[in-house]
Amino acid sequence: MVPKMGRSLVAVVAVLVLSAGSWRVVSAGGRSGEGGTAVRWITRATGPIVIDGSLDEPAWRDAAAFELPWEIMPAENEPAPVRTVCRMTYDEHNLYIGCRAFDDDPGAIRAHYADRDLAWSDDLIGVMLDTFDDERRGYEFFVNPLGVQMDLTRSEVGGGEDASWDAIWDSAGRITDSGYEVEMAIPFSVLRFPAGGRQMRWGISFLRIWPRTHRVILSSEKNDRDVDCTLCQLGKVTGFEGVRPGKNVELDPTLVLNRTDVRSGFPSGPMESGDVEIDGGLTARWGVTPNVELAGTLNPDFSQVEADALQLGVNRTFTLFYPEKRPFFLEGADIFDTPFNVVHTRAIADPDWGIKTTGKAGRSAFGALVAQDAVTNVILPGTEGSWSDTLDGSNLSGIFRYRYDLGRGSTL
């Protein structure tokens, strides 16, 4: 059973204060394809591609190739100790990425079957995408040699990565005599990018994790540690003309049935059957355009997602924190990121309904969320800790955010 805890009142007040008159400046210094940075052209796939972990389709030979020549961690932009070649192409529906990771000792490759987002200690290959080329928000997709997926969003405004976001995409991998190969098919419907179907320019970087005596990170781009941002140091690719997300509509219904039987007399009394309780819900998502999304939910249920990890509340001075996992609240959550964690949607513990819109147009990013919650959870701060409490009565929660990009690295 999921504990009901939250910060709804504190969160709403704090986010309104921040939105009203606060500046968040992200360090500039990005290259944006300038200063000699090459812009690669990505072409459409010349044939079908099957995601099976084997780059044997003719379409891969015609796809744009990217070497990973740099070791960026722990060394700083030194020649990579092993060779890696990735290729990228696309069709009407998907972005395709295939990589060959060469290794002189394939027996040392680390690969385990694991749940999504839990294979970070393995060998990995991934890609980082900045689909708006604004150096503020990006996607990350990683695959281990057995095809296990890791996906994240990265925000330069709020800071850091968020592994709570989960997309629906295909991947496969296999270990070979010379290393391993991975393939990915990422539907355009899970990405956000400028509307209009015109030619686009994206930021991109391929990464390989090579864990041996120590964890080595290889990259297709050099990394300047004196520059306080990641997305501003990506390479640039162009193309994708005519790409559209299609009919991006998603419906997630839930149905929970519960019956409690009670023994009238213990231990020999008969068992009396209780009434069957039916609890249904629906979450819907509609991609109005490639860069604007509308979502609604009616009685969302935690049964549609994974259970919370066990936490102990003994000798804890601060109330327990549980990450958000409900799809309705996760989509576009980076729009509400702030330097301080003032928006925690788990505060909306038992919503009867909710509606939400998020998007980006030009330099403007916006988000609005309204939900009717059946309970009111608050966090009560103290001088040496905090604790949560539940108040009688429902509440209407509202969160609103508008962000404007200034220059190459600043945000209002």
Side-chain angles (χ1 to χ4, degrees), residues 2-44:
V2 178
K4 294 181 178 179
M5 49 79 67
R7 304 174 181 173
S8 56
L9 299 181
V10 177
V12 171
V13 172
V15 76
L16 290 178
V17 171
L18 279 177
S19 298
S22 176
W23 286 83
R24 166 64 170 165
V25 178
V26 182
S27 299
R31 297 171 298 173
S32 300
E34 302 168 358
T37 301
V39 179
R40 300 288 303 277
W41 182 268
I42 306 299
T43 58
R44 281 182 176 265

Side-chain angles (χ1 to χ4, degrees), residues 87-102:
R87 293 183 178 272
M88 173 185 283
T89 185
Y90 68 98
D91 61 16
E92 182 180 356
H93 303 289
N94 299 301
L95 176 69
Y96 295 101
I97 294 172
C99 297
R100 285 191 174 95
F102 296 93

Side-chain angles (χ1 to χ4, degrees), residues 174-223:
R174 68 186 184 104
I175 298 176
T176 67
D177 293 337
S178 59
Y180 66 94
E181 298 180 358
V182 299
E183 288 182 304
M184 312 179 205
I186 304 170
F188 289 114
S189 61
V190 306
L191 302 174
R192 294 189 180 187
F193 46 84
R198 61 186 183 276
Q199 178 181 312
M200 294 178 286
R201 190 175 76 167
W202 291 4
I204 188 172
S205 179
F206 290 94
L207 299 170
R208 176 182 177 182
I209 311 298
W210 191 59
R212 296 300 181 264
T213 55
H214 53 272
R215 183 182 174 90
V216 176
I217 302 180
L218 313 179
S219 175
S220 59
E221 310 297 324
K222 289 185 176 182
N223 180 69

Side-chain angles (χ1 to χ4, degrees), residues 17 55 94 110 115 142 167 193 233 253 263 291 311 339 361 370 388 398 400:
V17 171
L55 279 69
N94 299 301
R110 299 184 186 180
D115 291 337
F142 285 87
F193 46 84
Q233 302 190 61
R263 192 180 295 279
N291 57 333
Q311 297 191 48
V370 179
S388 61
F400 309 94

Side-chain angles (χ1 to χ4, degrees), residues 364-381:
S364 297
F366 55 88
L369 186 156
V370 179
Q372 178 73 47
D373 199 0
V375 298
T376 299
N377 291 325
V378 294
I379 291 244
L380 304 174

Side-chain angles (χ1 to χ4, degrees), residues 390-408:
T390 300
L391 307 179
D392 292 334
S394 61
N395 72 83
L396 186 65
S397 298
I399 306 172
F400 309 94
R401 185 85 188 279
Y402 174 78
R403 192 183 76 212
Y404 187 78
D405 299 336
L406 297 173
R408 291 197 335 218

Side-chain angles (χ1 to χ4, degrees), residues 71-120:
E71 177 185 332
I72 61 172
M73 189 69 68
E76 184 173 4
N77 303 323
E78 295 293 331
V82 288
R83 183 169 180 247
T84 313
V85 180
C86 291
R87 293 183 178 272
M88 173 185 283
T89 185
Y90 68 98
D91 61 16
E92 182 180 356
H93 303 289
N94 299 301
L95 176 69
Y96 295 101
I97 294 172
C99 297
R100 285 191 174 95
F102 296 93
D103 200 305
D104 294 335
D105 184 11
I109 293 174
R110 299 184 186 180
H112 304 83
Y113 287 108
D115 291 337
R116 178 196 291 263
D117 298 333
L118 293 180
W120 293 110

